[in-house]
């Protein structure tokens, strides 16, 4: 019995240590974020979304648009934080194909700022200067696998500021499957 108790306590100690190591390895502060459960929108996961204190024009309550039975979602937290999610089923090469498409774009010069597993943060600039004031935009592209389904996550086509993209990056990194 004594051996069992020692083994049990050792197991708990190691488990707690693993959880702390996982959080420390991410090294992301979710101070200005709120946890949102996506299960009622047919995605069995949670996500941290920026709250009103983030300073990027976010609102207190996120708006999640989804047609029941559909395969697309739009998450809006204010005017500028907008991410689109699309269900791509079991398409395993989604990230690699989209990355190749982004890098070989004939209209934009693309500069990859950050690539973290299946999240790509990049900057696009028009290859030809046509006199636009805002010629540089920031974008994010990610693929998240939940229950053997690949979800593509992007910001809007018009792009965002670097600060807004950094908040989107943190949100996408926070997506966790709900363990039932």
């Amino acid at each position: 019995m004594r051996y069992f108790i020692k083994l049990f306590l050792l197991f708990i100690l190691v488990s707690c240590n693993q959880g702390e190591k996982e959080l420390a390895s991410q090294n992301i502060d979710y101070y200005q974020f709120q946890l949102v459960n996506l299960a009622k929108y047919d995605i069995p996961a949670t996500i941290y979304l920026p709250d009103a204190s983030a300073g990027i024009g976010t609102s207190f309550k996120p708006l999640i648009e989804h047609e029941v039975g559909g395969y697309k979602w739009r998450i809006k937290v204010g005017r500028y934080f907008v991410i689109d999610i699309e269900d791509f089923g079991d398409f395993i090469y989604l990230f690699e194909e989209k990355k190749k498409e982004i890098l070989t774009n004939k209209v934009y010069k693309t500069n990859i700022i950050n690539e973290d597993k299946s999240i790509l943060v990049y900057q696009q600039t028009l290859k030809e200067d046509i006199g636009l004031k805002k010629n540089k935009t920031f974008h994010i592209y990610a693929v998240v696998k939940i229950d053997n389904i690949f979800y593509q996550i992007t910001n809007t086509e018009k792009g965002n500021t670097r600060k807004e993209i950094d908040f989107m990056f943190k949100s996408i990194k926070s997506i966790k499957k709900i363990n039932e």
Side-chain angles (χ1 to χ4, degrees):
M1 183 67 170
R2 181 180 274 167
Y3 177 73
F4 176 74
I5 292 172
K6 286 181 182 180
L7 187 61
F8 180 72
L9 290 174
L10 181 63
F11 174 75
I12 290 175
L13 182 63
V14 169
S15 297
C16 290
N17 225 2
Q18 291 288 51
E20 288 174 12
K21 284 180 184 176
E22 184 180 321
L23 288 174
S25 71
Q26 284 189 6
N27 204 19
I28 297 176
D29 179 15
Y30 287 105
Y31 168 67
Q32 297 174 314
F33 289 77
Q34 58 187 318
L35 184 64
V36 176
N37 187 336
L38 298 173
K40 63 182 172 181
Y41 303 100
D42 299 329
I43 299 177
T46 59
I47 185 172
Y48 277 96
L49 296 173
D51 62 22
S53 71
I56 58 170
T58 55
S59 60
F60 285 103
K61 186 171 176 156
L63 173 65
I64 301 174
E65 299 170 353
H66 172 64
E67 215 173 278
V68 177
Y71 61 94
K72 292 183 179 185
W73 296 259
R74 175 164 271 187
I75 300 175
K76 296 180 183 179
V77 190
R79 243 167 81 186
Y80 304 109
F81 186 99
V82 179
I83 56 175
D84 293 316
I85 302 174
E86 190 171 347
D87 178 341
F88 270 81
D90 62 356
F91 189 39
I92 195 166
Y93 300 109
L94 183 60
F95 184 78
E96 291 81 8
E97 286 189 16
K98 185 64 175 184
K99 180 181 173 186
K100 183 179 176 183
E101 179 185 318
I102 290 167
L103 291 173
T104 59
N105 189 307
K106 295 186 186 312
V107 177
Y108 294 100
K109 183 178 108 184
T110 302
N111 179 30
I112 295 178
I113 296 168
N114 185 10
E115 185 173 352
D116 184 340
K117 294 183 183 175
S118 60
I119 304 175
L120 190 65
V121 175
Y122 58 99
Q123 172 190 331
Q124 286 188 324
T125 311
L126 285 170
K127 287 187 177 179
E128 287 189 36
D129 184 12
I130 56 174
L132 294 176
K133 283 186 178 182
K134 187 180 177 188
N135 189 17
K136 179 174 36 173
T137 57
F138 293 92
H139 302 269
I140 192 160
Y141 178 79
V143 175
V144 176
K145 183 180 176 186
I146 303 168
D147 283 344
N148 293 320
I149 295 174
F150 292 91
Y151 294 92
Q152 171 180 278
I153 304 171
T154 59
N155 63 319
T156 59
E157 194 174 310
K158 68 179 181 176
N160 288 87
T161 67
R162 178 65 195 264
K163 184 177 180 181
E164 293 160 354
I165 290 295
D166 289 343
F167 275 91
M168 291 176 190
F169 179 83
K170 288 180 178 183
S171 288
I172 293 169
K173 286 285 287 183
S174 76
I175 296 174
K176 296 283 183 252
K177 178 186 177 318
I178 296 174
N179 294 325
E180 298 174 64

